Amino acid sequence: MHRIIGILLMVVFVLSACRSGEQKDESLQTSVKVLRYDRLQYEATVMNSVSALQKMNIDCPQATKLLIEDVLGIGSVAEPDINDRLCAYYSDSLLVRLMDDVQEKFKDLSGIEADLTKGFRNLKREVPAIPVPRIYSQISALNQSVVVGDSLLGFSLDKYLGQDYPLYKRYYYPFQRRSMVPERIVPDCFTFYLLSLSPFPWEEGHRTLFDFMMYRGKIAWTVEHILQSDGSGRLTLGYTREELNWCRKYMEALWKEMAEKEHLASTDPMLIRSYTSGEQTLTFNGEKMPPCIGIWLGMQLVDKYMKNNQRLTLKDLLGKDDFSDLMHTPKH
């Protein structure tokens, strides 16, 4: 009986959150509130709640459309049997266990809400025109970590249960698991949101490794700036102290080697990926480079650029696409 009452209270809380739209886009005088869409999913599928399933479609239609059509790819929300297919999809025993673990791990998102509030307040203060999306948590069945739609941003709690979570060890490499920790939720949300607002322009004459390093570097620098981090890469890239020490030790030598090998001017997508992805495929001085080393190097050059041009605003930085004037001044 107590369990039933608790479930009913949970559903009432989530449904009222879906309706309320408590986030204020312009001034953010109130705190950012994360809509617990994941709880609706849990009630609709694990607990077989018809009411929760109806509310997913009626009160949270954008999130449901994104989930069904883009994240899971199981059909269209307009198909008559789509609700049955959605429930059948989540009835898999592994997903039931995953959803149970999510509910246990993330009983309270107040810390995440506080960090999102801080970040968006700082972002809006410096770039007032940037809209604040409606933010919700979901269970993506181990698909996308963050999804961005029209005025909507969702993060998948099932992708942030901790790098030692047993199920992850069955399906992910160690380099993938290191970013699947709760601490990465907020920086990932801001990273993917800013990337969606300003996609990289894959244009002729503007698609070299250097171009992409600076693009991703300015986004990472911005995220650390608005979250008031130290800009080291520990927050956005998940670097350890040892990795940061390695990067700082070899930074100038790395720039020199990349220039000598003409990597900076390369448009080879595989080379660009090797410098900017989470895989550790590159070596230097007989040692593996930390993941995303190109993004970290871009961050450092952006940091130097902003310190040397203190009249520039964050809006100016985000609007800057051409960093070619910095290509020959990487030394710190």
Side-chain angles (χ1 to χ4, degrees):
M1 183 64 180
H2 290 294
R3 176 176 174 81
I4 294 174
I5 292 173
I7 291 170
L8 290 175
L9 289 174
M10 184 187 298
V11 173
V12 169
F13 170 79
V14 175
L15 300 187
S16 63
C18 276
R19 293 193 195 98
S20 65
E22 290 179 49
Q23 298 170 91
K24 303 297 182 183
D25 189 343
E26 295 303 323
S27 63
L28 281 180
Q29 293 302 309
T30 57
S31 298
V32 168
K33 303 299 291 184
V34 174
L35 306 182
R36 292 302 302 260
Y37 183 78
D38 64 289
R39 288 179 173 167
L40 272 183
Q41 292 178 273
Y42 182 81
E43 296 300 325
T45 57
V46 177
M47 306 307 298
N48 297 314
S49 169
V50 175
S51 174
L53 188 59
Q54 289 174 337
K55 293 299 181 179
M56 286 173 62
N57 291 294
I58 296 172
D59 291 335
C60 307
Q62 286 179 285
T64 302
K65 182 178 175 66
L66 273 173
L67 175 69
I68 290 173
E69 298 183 357
D70 298 325
V71 177
L72 304 180
I74 60 173
S76 167
V77 292
E79 295 177 54
D81 65 337
I82 195 62
N83 286 341
D84 293 335
R85 281 155 50 196
L86 179 65
C87 290
Y89 188 96
Y90 280 100
S91 67
D92 180 88
S93 59
L94 284 179
L95 291 183
V96 171
R97 176 188 168 190
L98 188 67
M99 289 190 285
D100 282 334
D101 290 343
V102 164
Q103 299 309 310
E104 180 64 28
K105 176 80 171 180
F106 295 104
K107 293 178 179 179
D108 178 25
L109 297 184
S110 59
I112 290 172
E113 291 172 334
D115 288 341
L116 287 168
T117 296
K118 177 177 72 174
F120 273 113
R121 282 180 175 168
N122 290 334
L123 184 60
K124 290 287 287 184
R125 187 177 297 115
E126 299 196 47
V127 193
I130 286 185
V132 179
R134 197 179 188 202
I135 303 173
Y136 66 98
S137 55
Q138 68 171 358
I139 299 169
S140 70
L142 299 180
N143 285 289
Q144 288 98 316
S145 299
V146 178
V147 294
V148 182
D150 184 19
S151 303
L152 202 66
L153 186 152
F155 57 90
S156 304
L157 292 174
D158 54 314
K159 294 296 292 291
Y160 296 100
L161 288 167
Q163 60 181 321
D164 294 324
Y165 182 61
L167 197 60
Y168 293 168
K169 293 182 178 180
R170 294 175 57 180
Y171 298 106
Y172 295 96
Y173 294 109
F175 79 87
Q176 295 173 309
R177 298 200 308 267
R178 62 180 287 167
S179 64
M180 300 173 75
V181 294
E183 295 78 14
R184 288 293 292 274
I185 291 176
V186 173
D188 280 359
C189 282
F190 281 109
T191 296
F192 285 104
Y193 188 56
L194 290 172
L195 290 173
S196 74
L197 292 179
S198 180
F200 181 72
W202 292 100
E203 302 170 351
E204 189 68 33
H206 184 74
R207 52 188 182 191
T208 65
L209 170 61
F210 181 79
D211 292 327
F212 195 68
M213 284 170 53
M214 296 308 297
Y215 166 73
R216 289 301 307 271
K218 78 173 182 180
I219 297 296
W221 186 92
T222 297
V223 173
E224 299 227 352
H225 174 70
I226 63 175
L227 292 176
Q228 299 175 328
S229 181
D230 58 7
S232 66
R234 186 177 288 113
L235 183 69
T236 54
L237 303 178
Y239 278 1
T240 63
R241 184 180 303 276
E242 291 74 23
E243 287 172 331
L244 284 173
N245 289 338
W246 191 96
C247 289
R248 290 164 178 156
K249 178 180 179 180
Y250 293 112
M251 179 170 58
E252 291 191 15
L254 283 171
W255 278 116
K256 182 179 179 181
E257 179 176 270
M258 292 167 72
E260 290 176 349
K261 290 185 175 180
E262 299 185 346
H263 284 181
L264 293 172
S266 174
T267 58
D268 180 354
M270 295 302 294
L271 182 69
I272 293 174
R273 175 178 172 79
S274 67
Y275 274 101
T276 57
S277 77
E279 298 181 59
Q280 291 181 270
T281 58
L282 297 175
T283 59
F284 181 79
N285 199 38
E287 301 172 354
K288 279 192 174 183
M289 296 187 198
C292 306
I293 186 66
I295 299 176
W296 186 84
L297 289 169
M299 284 178 66
Q300 307 318 301
L301 201 50
V302 167
D303 187 60
K304 179 183 178 182
Y305 174 71
M306 294 301 286
K307 287 178 178 176
N308 290 343
N309 298 273
Q310 296 190 13
R311 292 186 178 181
L312 291 177
T313 65
L314 183 59
K315 180 180 178 181
D316 295 329
L317 174 64
L318 291 173
K320 183 177 176 64
D321 289 327
D322 186 1
F323 288 91
S324 58
D325 53 322
L326 302 181
M327 190 167 182
H328 302 295
T329 58
K331 291 186 178 181
H332 282 54

